[in-house]
Amino acid sequence: MIENHMALIESICPDLNLIARGKVRDLYRIDENSLLFVATDRISAYDVILKNGIPGKGKILTQISVFWFKYLKDIVPNHLITCDLNDMPEVLQKYKDQLEHRCMLVKNLKVLQVEAIVRGYITGSAWSEYKQKGSICDIPLPEGLQESQSFETPLYTPSTKAEIGQHDQNIHPSKASEIIGENFAHDIAKISIQLYTKARDYAFKKGIIIADTKFEFGIDSNKIIYLADEVLTPDSSRFWLSSKYEIGRSQDSFDKQYVRDYLTSIGFDKKTSIALPDYIIQKTREKYIEAYKLLTGDEPDFL
Ligand code: ATP
Ligand code: MG
């Protein structure tokens, strides 16, 4: 276990079969049917993993995902088997210090190779495309939309799942059918909109705007569709504080705001990893805690 200031930067579980380390998560194969997702405290900005982590961030992200899996389970089944370490295989128990509250045992699925992005508000790459071409993913849109304005109905704008080192590419929904087949493409588009709409309405009442989000889906051997990966976390979505929302400009990112401002102030080159000062780490940690409290209404007593 590599720790700094109590942040778990990397999980070290030599008796487990590590299959990948993403920007934030470490992924282990447990057996033929299951995987272990471990959310570390790593933080990335502009796709660069920073040198120090945000203590507790991985636990908070895991618990936010688990909250949504439960809240959304009536719309579609999900891959979560358990997030309770006590219910996981014996071989994991010796790594309790590292894993507790930050891991999920999930069904090993065949992941559908499309990122299911839903946008409720026009921002980011969608705003850039709209300004240039009046469309998003080549879907034509009404004239005169302002930055950060909400759409009348949420927009489904899938993207490819890029290989390591490549960037995802936005695609027209019809192209998703070519990649994963018409039936799956149709189903995940419909499910994604339902998931987003239910989550957006819930979060809005709690003071958070979910501007957009990305879902991933997988299928089991019976071709049943499951919601996979992480869901509706600040890492897979854009969260805005509704009390600060103003149409016609870009919005502060709920969680990364202090990090981005700091990196801008030091002229960060978006390539070379650096360490964040302690006060930025503390303020950012407080934002993650605030997101958890607002969304779930609970105290993060697992921290
Ligand atoms: P990053 O998210 O850091 O850009 P990444 O997506 O390659 O990189 P992770 O998100 O950490 O890395 O890796 C999770 C991987 O596991 C993704 O490729 C995702 O599609 C896949 N995955 C998610 N859920 C399941 C599942 N139930 N079964 C199999 N694979 C899954
Ligand atoms: Mg990922």
Side-chain angles (χ1 to χ4, degrees):
M1 176 164 41
I2 301 173
E3 287 194 67
N4 76 9
H5 299 277
M6 302 301 286
L8 183 93
I9 300 294
E10 205 169 66
S11 64
I12 309 278
C13 305
D15 288 350
L16 306 183
N17 180 7
L18 177 72
I19 47 179
R21 289 192 203 277
K23 283 196 285 293
V24 171
R25 287 170 304 159
D26 296 343
L27 202 56
Y28 297 89
R29 177 177 303 285
I30 302 303
D31 57 33
E32 208 187 314
N33 302 316
S34 59
L35 301 172
L36 189 74
F37 270 52
V38 181
T40 69
D41 294 332
R42 297 193 285 270
I43 184 165
S44 67
Y46 307 102
D47 284 343
V48 177
I49 300 172
L50 302 177
K51 287 204 168 129
N52 38 12
I54 309 295
K57 168 177 179 274
K59 293 186 183 177
I60 297 170
L61 292 190
T62 299
Q63 300 308 318
I64 289 178
S65 259
V66 168
F67 167 81
W68 288 119
F69 279 133
K70 288 186 187 146
Y71 187 74
L72 299 167
K73 72 178 187 324
D74 293 344
I75 297 175
V76 64
N78 61 64
H79 70 163
L80 180 64
I81 299 169
T82 181
C83 61
D84 184 345
L85 193 61
N86 296 318
D87 296 336
M88 294 186 198
E90 184 57 36
V91 59
L92 304 183
Q93 304 304 326
K94 70 171 90 152
Y95 303 119
K96 182 173 174 182
D97 288 353
Q98 297 179 66
L99 300 180
E100 200 168 37
H101 306 301
R102 65 168 79 243
C103 70
M104 303 191 295
L105 189 69
V106 304
K107 287 191 172 70
N108 185 16
L109 301 169
K110 184 170 168 232
V111 175
L112 295 172
Q113 294 301 306
V114 159
E115 310 238 318
I117 298 167
V118 184
R119 301 170 189 275
Y121 295 74
I122 187 165
T123 181
S125 67
W127 174 242
S128 307
E129 184 186 329
Y130 176 76
K131 270 191 302 183
Q132 273 183 9
K133 303 201 283 185
S135 62
I136 298 177
C137 281
D138 294 325
I139 304 164
L141 287 171
E143 275 176 38
L145 291 179
Q146 294 183 63
E147 185 169 11
S148 305
Q149 187 169 346
S150 66
F151 297 116
E152 218 149 85
T153 52
L155 210 60
Y156 178 66
T157 61
S159 78
T160 57
K161 263 179 74 68
E163 299 291 317
I164 293 165
Q166 309 279 309
H167 284 291
D168 297 341
Q169 268 186 343
N170 289 343
I171 49 175
H172 189 272
S174 64
K175 175 91 179 149
S177 301
E178 287 173 31
I179 301 172
I180 59 173
E182 203 169 316
N183 289 344
F184 287 137
H186 170 267
D187 288 352
I188 70 167
K190 192 172 136 209
I191 294 166
S192 298
I193 299 270
Q194 287 174 349
L195 293 171
Y196 172 77
T197 305
K198 183 164 180 183
R200 174 203 63 189
D201 292 350
Y202 173 86
F204 193 76
K205 284 191 239 138
K206 306 290 177 182
I208 290 178
I209 291 175
I210 302 175
D212 52 31
T213 195
K214 177 213 73 169
F215 300 112
E216 291 191 37
F217 296 92
I219 51 172
D220 67 7
S221 51
N222 296 319
K223 303 234 160 58
I224 307 275
I225 296 178
Y226 290 82
L227 180 58
D229 215 55
E230 62 180 331
V231 276
L232 293 154
T233 65
D235 279 9
S236 66
S237 324
R238 277 196 181 86
F239 285 6
W240 297 335
L241 206 55
S242 38
S243 58
K244 296 212 178 133
Y245 170 74
E246 249 177 42
I247 203 167
R249 61 162 173 83
S250 70
Q251 314 296 309
D252 285 339
S253 144
F254 187 97
D255 52 310
K256 296 262 174 80
Q257 166 199 341
Y258 297 120
V259 175
R260 296 245 173 88
D261 289 352
Y262 172 74
L263 293 176
T264 307
S265 77
I266 60 159
F268 180 56
D269 64 7
K270 304 190 181 176
K271 289 199 282 275
T272 323
S273 180
I274 55 114
L276 297 168
D278 276 347
Y279 75 97
I280 298 291
I281 291 181
Q282 274 318 316
K283 280 163 88 171
T284 303
R285 176 180 150 92
E286 280 157 24
K287 292 305 282 186
Y288 281 98
I289 292 175
E290 187 186 349
Y292 176 83
K293 284 189 185 170
L294 284 173
L295 284 174
T296 67
D298 288 336
E299 288 299 316
D301 46 20
F302 49 84
L303 287 180

